[in-house]
């Protein structure tokens, strides 16, 4: 077996010595250094075109699937929606056991970015999973029966867990998310893998004195928060995705998210120079005690939701002619960072996507120089968006090419302060006016599509971390594509938003294999070998923050949101069941009796409160209901659903603290208008729609340019 933990050479040697043995994928990122690289090369550049589906497992879900499976001792362990765990025979796909932690569906209201889970950790006969409602559960790896369970978050605050735990030296490490809501303070906790007893906890931002860990580091951090009210409320800085480990240095590395709220002017009373440590930072702590070792803040005083939670990769790189232990991150802020992982010393950074928030990065300190004020009352269109130049979708590193394969995105976002922001604990609370993204009511849906298509882009970037530049780039149809896998077969695998699973030549980016699917992929692939056969596995299930807020997948016809685990091998002959698209007929809405003012108010309210899940401009990009398709029977119950929480157990939050009956009626008036517009658009003659779409594509760049000038 090859536990890829230390260096590629050691792993290659192990593989050669044990050629006949199975090759595991023992943790979500295949080892402490989190390269997401495999030494396997049975599937390679010469034969990948013969790769075919060998088996699949239907999760029975229609929401996002983000897990990377783990393969240990012939069993594939993975997770689905609502933190469900599956154990399958890695050769045949036979389900050995499944475990449903019965997450209360109301926990979905606190999940900013879908009811997803990014996988398990496996060690010492146990499988560890973090649940959406904040528990860490140890299961018997053979039976799936719970061994212990611990509540890792306060249940009266809007915390969630979507990350995969990591096991390091007998400890299970888990963080949590929630910094888009008011009342969350980020931390990472280590639990004993045997009994779930807490070993240590590291808070990323200062807070009430009585639960301060690392008092010196947090006292220093407190000086960078001019207005302590926000740290008393929560402060953000959540550790929601990545953890890496260097066993030689005994340092654990992780990232922290945005300070809460996003709007830095609210947070800091207008102070321009407050950093709000240790939010938006890469951090290192001593593994045995959880004591602070070092930090590097990627976005001081973040104003844009530039979490530093993108996956961290540990490599030894030749810097100025000598090898240096470094840590790599393609940050949400659009810059690729190389730091010395011994002490956090900044080595280099460069932009891997278009960005306009920073004028540059100080080459000595790594501190960004801002390109003017982040935003003012008029708002500012900024790149990257809160979705990030690179988000949680994992990048991979190949020691064969020395390149890092980054699923990158170019999405602009209008950052505009919310006029009257008052944080409500447990409620969405960024301090930014999400309604600023709304299209004017009455805009032709085809024009809206053309504007979005023109504004956003996705790409796979092969980044040279030494030269800090792209070796090659492949343009994708949309942003929000899957994570990547690199292999010794000279391949890079990636699933895409528009429904494909692809393999590229790792050295050149040449497309070598293109497997078409009816659903999008956001998860990262993995690979393993059993009895001399190499398999490649990936979870298929479109979702996550970009999808929920509308994405572009809404425009992909015949979309089937059913989720699957897909497993491939050379010569595989299996086929998925035929697509089952969601119903595409829009019920006839009642006649609109609202005034244009009421519809405009409804537009603002919808896009402020509903769009993060149901999709901007009432176009759902996921299986969460598209409210233009609202049956009239449900329409009559809107008050009960929105104000009284009638569908809380289906995951629909109640908004009684934010909205009243008059405002719900305004949202309904807007939805009726949108349903009418969409019906009209769908019933127009095809030739006329084509002519209009062609014309809109021509004028979209100019309209987007004019809009950018206004902001
Ligand atoms: Ca965030």
């Amino acid at each position: 077996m090859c536990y890829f933990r230390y260096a590629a050479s050691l792993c290659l040697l192990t593989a050669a010595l044990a050629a006949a043995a199975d090759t595991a994928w023992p943790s979500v990122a295949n080892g402490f250094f989190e390269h997401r690289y495999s030494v396997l090369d049975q599937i390679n550049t010469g034969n990948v075109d013969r790769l075919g589906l060998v088996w699949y497992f239907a999760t029975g879900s229609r929401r996002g699937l983000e897990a990377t499976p783990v393969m240990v001792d012939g069993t594939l362990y993975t997770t689905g929606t609502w933190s469900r765990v599956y154990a399958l025979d890695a050769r045949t796909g036979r389900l050995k056991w499944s475990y449903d932690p019965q997450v209360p569906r109301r926990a979905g209201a606190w999940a900013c970015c879908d009811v997803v889970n990014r996988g398990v950790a496996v060690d010492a006969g146990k499988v560890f999973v973090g649940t959406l409602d904040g528990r860490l559960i140890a299961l018997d790896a053979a039976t799936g029966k719970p061994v212990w369970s611990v509540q890792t978050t306060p249940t009266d605050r809007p915390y969630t867990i979507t990350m995969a735990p990591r096991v390091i030296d007998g400890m299970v490490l888990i963080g949590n998310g929630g910094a888009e809501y008011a009342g969350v303070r980020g931390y990472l906790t280590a639990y004993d893998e045997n009994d779930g007893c807490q070993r240590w906890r590291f808070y990323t931002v200062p807070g009430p004195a009585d639960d301060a860990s690392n008092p010196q580091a947090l006292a220093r951090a407190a000086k960078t928060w001019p207005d302590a009210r926000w740290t008393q409320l929560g402060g953000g800085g959540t550790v929601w995705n990545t953890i890496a480990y260097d066993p030689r240095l005994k340092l654990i590395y992780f990232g922290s998210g945005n300070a809460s709220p996003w709007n830095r002017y609210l947070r800091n009373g207008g102070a321009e120079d407050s950093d709000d440590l240790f939010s938006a930072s890469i951090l290192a702590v001593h593994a045995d005690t959880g004591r602070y070792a070092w930090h590097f803040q990627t976005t001081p005083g973040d104003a844009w939701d530039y979490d530093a939670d993108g996956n961290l990769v540990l490599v030894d790189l030749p810097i100025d002619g000598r090898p240096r232990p470094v840590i790599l991150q393609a940050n949400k802020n659009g810059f690729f960072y190389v730091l010395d992982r011994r002490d956090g010393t900044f080595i280099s950074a460069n932009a891997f996507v278009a960005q306009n928030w920073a004028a540059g990065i100080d080459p000595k300190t790594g501190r960004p120089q801002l390109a003017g004020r982040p935003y003012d009352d008029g708002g500012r269109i900024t790149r990257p968006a809160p979705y990030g130049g690179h988000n949680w979708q994992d990048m991979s590193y190949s020691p064969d090419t020395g390149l890092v394969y980054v699923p990158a995105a170019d999405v602009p976002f209008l950052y505009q302060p919310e006029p009257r922001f008052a944080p409500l604990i447990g409620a969405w609370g960024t301090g930014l006016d999400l309604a600023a993204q709304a299209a004017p009511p009455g805009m032709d849906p085809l024009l809206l599509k053309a504007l979005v298509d023109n504004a956003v882009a996705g790409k796979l970037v092969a980044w040279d971390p030494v030269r800090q530049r792209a070796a090659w780039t492949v343009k994708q149809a949309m942003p929000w594509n899957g994570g990547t896998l690199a292999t010794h077969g000279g391949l890079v695998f990636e699933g895409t938003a528009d429904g494909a699973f692809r393999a590229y030549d790792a050295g050149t980016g040449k497309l070598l294999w293109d497997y078409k699917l009816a659903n999008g992929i956001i998860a990262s692939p993995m690979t393993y070998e059993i009895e001399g056969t190499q398999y490649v596995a990936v979870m298929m299930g479109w979702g996550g923050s970009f999808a929920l807020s509308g994405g572009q997948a809404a425009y992909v016809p015949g979309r089937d949101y059913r989720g699957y685990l897909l497993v491939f091998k050379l010569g595989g002959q299996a086929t998925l069941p035929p697509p089952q698209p969601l119903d595409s007929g829009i019920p006839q809405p009642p006649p609109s009796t609202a005034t244009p003012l009421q519809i405009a108010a409804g537009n603002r309210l919808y896009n402020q409160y509903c769009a993060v899940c149901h999709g901007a401009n009432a176009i759902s990009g996921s299986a969460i209901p598209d409210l233009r398709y609202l049956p009239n029977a449900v329409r009559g119950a809107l008050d009960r659903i929105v104000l009284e929480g009638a569908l809380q157990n289906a995951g629909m939050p109640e908004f009684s603290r934010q909205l009243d009956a008059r405002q719900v009626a305004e949202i309904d008036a807007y939805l009726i208008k949108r349903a009418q517009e969409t019906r009209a658009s769908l019933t127009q003659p095809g030739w006329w729609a084509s002519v209009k779409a062609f014309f809109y594509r021509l004028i979209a760049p100019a309209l987007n340019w004019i809009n950018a000038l206004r902001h």
Side-chain angles (χ1 to χ4, degrees):
M1 278 208 253
C2 176
Y3 290 93
F4 184 60
R5 282 185 171 172
Y6 300 102
S9 54
L10 176 64
C11 204
L12 288 169
L13 179 67
T14 318
L17 289 173
D22 295 344
T23 300
W25 182 278
S27 61
V28 279
N30 205 17
F32 293 141
F33 282 19
E34 306 246 321
H35 289 188
R36 293 180 176 269
Y37 168 83
S38 169
V39 294
L40 295 175
D41 59 3
Q42 183 180 84
I43 301 164
N44 55 54
T45 51
N47 61 20
V48 69
D49 60 331
R50 293 199 293 111
L51 199 60
L53 189 68
V54 58
W55 59 262
Y56 59 84
F57 170 73
T59 58
S61 60
R62 287 179 184 260
R63 303 278 290 267
L65 295 176
E66 298 188 352
T68 309
V70 167
M71 201 292 278
V72 176
D73 295 337
T75 301
L76 210 49
Y77 300 94
T78 193
T79 58
T81 55
W82 302 105
S83 327
R84 284 180 279 231
V85 186
Y86 305 98
L88 303 114
D89 184 309
R91 198 172 52 80
T92 65
R94 181 181 63 84
L95 183 66
K96 293 184 169 180
W97 54 260
S98 65
Y99 172 75
D100 185 344
Q102 302 289 338
V103 172
R105 294 310 187 246
R106 62 182 57 205
W110 284 345
C112 69
C113 308
D114 208 351
V115 294
V116 290
N117 186 282
R118 284 188 286 281
V120 298
V122 180
D123 194 53
K126 293 191 193 71
V127 176
F128 305 95
V129 63
T131 67
L132 197 70
D133 55 344
R135 289 171 287 161
L136 177 66
I137 300 176
L139 303 170
D140 184 306
T143 64
K145 296 273 180 296
V147 180
W148 54 258
S149 173
V150 56
Q151 179 70 42
T152 73
T153 57
T155 52
D156 60 346
R157 296 274 172 145
Y159 285 92
T160 47
I161 297 178
T162 57
M163 70 185 289
R166 308 294 202 279
V167 175
I168 293 170
D169 289 351
M171 299 180 295
V172 195
L173 287 116
I174 193 80
N176 44 63
E180 277 59 55
Y181 300 77
V184 162
R185 179 189 186 197
Y187 57 86
L188 177 72
T189 318
Y191 296 92
D192 190 300
E193 71 172 345
N194 292 312
D195 52 18
C197 286
Q198 183 175 319
R199 293 262 197 96
W200 51 256
R201 175 166 288 180
F202 182 95
Y203 281 100
T204 59
V205 293
D210 57 354
D211 61 352
S213 64
N214 281 279
Q216 282 139 346
L218 286 174
R220 179 179 157 202
K223 295 197 176 79
T224 67
W225 287 80
D227 185 346
R229 267 184 313 154
W230 299 104
T231 54
Q232 294 302 310
L233 189 69
T238 45
V239 184
W240 56 260
N241 186 43
T242 185
I243 302 173
Y245 178 51
D246 186 329
R248 195 173 56 82
L249 297 171
K250 292 261 177 205
L251 290 178
I252 290 172
Y253 305 97
F254 53 97
S256 65
N258 60 281
S260 296
W262 292 358
N263 183 341
R264 63 180 266 164
Y265 297 110
L266 285 171
R267 215 166 57 225
N268 294 325
E272 290 288 335
D273 55 351
S274 61
D275 290 353
D276 309 325
L277 290 170
F278 301 102
S279 67
S281 299
I282 297 167
L283 290 131
V285 298
H286 297 282
D288 48 353
T289 59
R291 271 191 306 106
Y292 170 92
W294 58 259
H295 81 276
F296 176 84
Q297 192 172 38
T298 44
T299 313
D302 170 46
W304 308 270
D305 187 27
Y306 290 159
D307 305 301
D309 291 82
N311 68 314
L312 295 165
V313 171
L314 311 186
V315 296
D316 291 345
L317 284 186
I319 306 286
D320 299 330
R322 59 191 176 88
R324 214 162 150 184
V326 302
I327 188 163
L328 310 177
Q329 187 182 61
N331 196 275
K332 263 172 103 176
N333 73 14
F335 287 90
F336 191 101
Y337 290 87
V338 181
L339 310 176
D340 189 313
R341 70 171 176 271
R342 291 170 297 192
D343 54 12
T345 301
F346 173 77
I347 295 173
S348 62
N350 199 11
F352 62 94
V353 289
Q355 66 79 27
N356 64 355
W357 67 277
I361 301 284
D362 184 306
K364 282 218 158 44
T365 64
R367 193 179 173 90
Q369 296 131 352
L370 296 191
R373 277 171 66 86
Y375 38 74
D376 50 29
D377 291 345
R380 186 166 164 215
I381 293 176
T382 305
R383 291 167 197 269
Y387 312 108
H390 167 237
N391 203 306
W392 63 267
Q393 287 95 329
D394 312 280
M395 62 187 195
S396 57
Y397 169 77
S398 167
D400 304 325
T401 61
L403 299 175
V404 183
Y405 302 96
V406 186
D410 179 10
V411 178
F413 190 84
L414 176 54
Y415 289 85
Q416 185 168 300
E418 188 176 342
R420 288 172 298 278
F421 176 72
L424 289 170
I425 285 186
W428 188 266
T430 63
L432 289 175
D433 187 2
L434 299 184
Q437 317 297 321
M443 179 185 277
D444 188 329
L446 291 170
L447 175 58
L448 186 57
K449 173 175 167 21
L451 292 173
V452 172
D453 282 349
N454 171 256
V456 309
K459 58 184 179 175
L460 171 60
V461 182
W463 193 258
D464 181 333
V466 177
R467 293 178 185 80
Q468 282 282 19
R469 63 175 191 226
W472 53 259
T473 297
V474 172
K475 195 172 171 345
Q476 310 284 33
M478 300 181 198
W480 209 246
N481 299 293
T484 66
L485 160 71
T487 75
H488 190 51
L491 297 170
V492 177
F493 288 89
E494 189 190 27
T496 65
D498 58 326
F501 190 33
R502 296 193 173 116
Y504 301 90
D505 185 308
T508 65
K510 184 174 179 224
L511 179 64
L512 299 176
W513 179 68
D514 189 4
Y515 193 89
K516 293 284 190 269
L517 296 157
N519 195 355
I521 292 175
I522 48 177
S524 308
M526 51 78 78
T527 185
Y528 56 94
E529 186 174 272
I530 292 183
E531 295 169 2
T533 300
Q534 184 186 354
Y535 300 86
V536 176
V538 69
M539 306 288 292
M540 173 173 72
W542 176 253
S545 59
F546 182 74
L548 263 49
S549 57
Q552 279 171 300
Y555 301 114
V556 178
R559 191 76 155 184
D560 177 358
Y561 288 110
R562 286 178 302 171
Y564 292 97
L565 165 63
L566 307 176
V567 178
F568 298 82
K569 71 169 188 176
L570 293 176
Q573 297 284 340
T575 51
L576 282 172
Q580 274 184 5
L582 295 176
D583 182 16
S584 57
I586 298 189
Q588 172 75 49
S592 178
T593 55
T595 66
L597 269 179
Q598 286 169 320
I599 292 169
N603 182 13
R604 283 193 52 79
L605 292 166
Y606 172 89
N607 282 290
Q608 183 71 10
Y609 294 107
C610 318
V612 287
C613 292
H614 290 281
N617 302 306
I619 302 170
S620 175
S622 73
I624 291 181
D626 187 311
L627 299 182
R628 296 171 299 171
Y629 294 61
L630 207 61
N632 289 324
V634 178
R635 172 160 273 124
L638 267 188
D639 274 358
R640 285 189 45 233
I641 294 168
V642 178
L643 301 179
E644 297 171 27
L647 292 181
Q648 271 198 90
N649 291 335
M652 167 69 199
E654 57 100 5
F655 288 85
S656 59
R657 293 186 297 170
Q658 294 98 328
L659 299 169
D660 58 29
R662 181 180 56 85
Q663 291 171 314
V664 173
E666 287 168 347
I667 291 172
D668 190 28
Y670 166 70
L671 293 174
I672 289 170
K673 173 80 174 155
R674 294 291 290 127
Q676 287 169 343
E677 287 167 3
T678 309
R679 278 175 66 90
S681 171
L682 290 174
T683 52
Q684 68 194 321
W687 66 268
W688 176 233
S690 300
V691 168
K692 284 203 296 187
F694 177 76
F695 173 70
Y696 291 148
R697 271 200 302 278
L698 285 182
I699 62 168
L703 291 178
N704 278 334
W705 183 73
I706 291 165
N707 195 36
L709 284 183
R710 285 177 51 226
H711 297 286

